[in-house]
Amino acid sequence: MSQLDPQLVNELLRNRRSVYPGKYTGEIVEESVIQDMLENANWAPTHRLTEPWRFVVFMGEGLERLAAFQSELYKEVSKANGTFDEVKFNKLATKPMMASHIIAIGMSRCSKESVPEEEELASVAMAVQNMYLTATAHEVGCYWGSGGVTYYEEAKPFFGLESDDKLLGFMYIGKVDSKDWPKGRRKPIEEKVKWVRS
C-alpha cells in the first residue's frame, strides 16, 4: 500500500461539498476527470462483489437528449395524474444545459437472493461519495440530486435499467470559481457519538 498523508485525506473529506449548477462557470470539465470519478466509484465497498452501481454519462448533445427525455416524460406522467406544473417542466428542459456533464446513477439488483437491497443501495451511495471526493480533488463541483423523473418506473429503460433495478438520481458536474466554493456546516461529532468503554 502506498504511503498516504492522513492530513491530506482529512482535508479532502472535510472540503467535499454539493455545488449546484447555478455556481458552474460553463467551462467543460476534462473527460479525464470524469474518467477518474468513474474509476474511483468502481472501488467502492461491495458485499459479495456484486458491484451494483450503474452509470450513464451525458455530455454535449447528450445533455439535450436527457433534457428532452426527462421533461417530456414528466409532462406525460404528470398530465395523466393531474399534477403538471409548467415551471417544473421548463426546469427539467433547461437545467441539464447548466452542467458540463451529468451522470445518471443506477443500482442493478443483480443478486436479489443473496444480498439485501439496503446493502446494494449503500454500495452505490459509497460509489457516489468516491465520485464526490475525486471531483473535489480536481477542484470540480458536483451534486447528487434525486428530483425530476428519478422515481418514475417509466424512466428506467432509457438508462438501461431493468424493472428490479433502481434509478437513484443524477450527479451534475461543472467547473466552479474557487470563491464560490461553499463553506462547511456541521454540528460537532460529539453530539452524535456515544462511547462504550466497559
Side-chain angles (χ1 to χ4, degrees):
M1 181 172 159
S2 63
Q3 187 123 22
L4 298 175
D5 182 339
Q7 191 51 45
L8 285 177
V9 174
N10 290 344
E11 188 177 340
L12 174 65
L13 290 166
R14 295 171 193 180
N15 278 288
R16 183 222 53 81
R17 300 285 181 272
S18 290
V19 184
Y20 302 101
K23 301 251 185 202
Y24 300 166
T25 64
E27 297 173 82
I28 301 300
V29 174
E30 295 82 1
E31 198 162 318
S32 60
V33 173
I34 306 300
Q35 194 61 50
D36 270 357
M37 291 171 67
L38 295 166
E39 188 62 42
N40 289 342
N42 201 39
W43 287 95
T46 167
H47 189 186
R48 299 203 182 180
L49 294 176
T50 59
E51 301 176 40
W53 43 83
R54 297 293 183 270
F55 305 117
V56 180
V57 184
F58 296 89
M59 58 184 290
E61 292 181 4
L63 293 169
E64 296 175 15
R65 185 174 170 201
L66 172 62
F69 168 77
Q70 67 178 9
S71 59
E72 289 303 320
L73 179 59
Y74 165 73
K75 181 194 284 186
E76 179 185 326
V77 172
S78 62
K79 283 197 169 180
N81 63 28
T83 61
F84 179 74
D85 178 342
E86 188 78 31
V87 172
K88 186 171 182 179
F89 170 81
N90 289 332
K91 186 176 177 182
L92 290 169
T94 58
K95 188 177 175 184
M97 268 60 79
M98 298 172 74
S100 168
H101 295 70
I102 295 176
I103 301 177
I105 301 161
M107 182 204 76
S108 175
R109 190 72 174 113
C110 51
S111 60
K112 292 178 279 191
E113 310 276 319
S114 59
V115 180
E117 183 178 73
E118 292 81 2
E119 294 186 16
E120 300 284 69
L121 290 166
S123 283
V124 175
M126 286 186 275
V128 172
Q129 174 75 339
N130 285 2
M131 289 199 288
Y132 258 119
L133 294 172
T134 306
T136 301
H138 285 283
E139 299 181 335
V140 166
C142 60
Y143 97 100
W144 178 11
S146 58
V149 299
T150 297
Y151 302 114
Y152 288 18
E153 285 296 315
E154 301 92 333
K156 290 179 181 178
F158 183 80
F159 302 101
L161 299 170
E162 304 288 336
S163 59
D164 287 335
D165 300 339
K166 290 194 181 299
L167 178 61
L168 298 175
F170 303 91
M171 176 165 270
Y172 287 71
I173 302 162
K175 291 199 173 183
V176 183
D177 284 335
S178 58
K179 63 179 174 51
D180 288 330
W181 200 261
K183 300 290 183 196
R185 293 175 298 164
R186 288 291 186 276
K187 294 177 182 173
I189 188 61
E190 290 77 14
E191 295 181 15
K192 306 159 194 169
V193 178
K194 178 180 178 181
W195 294 75
V196 181
R197 298 185 186 278
S198 59

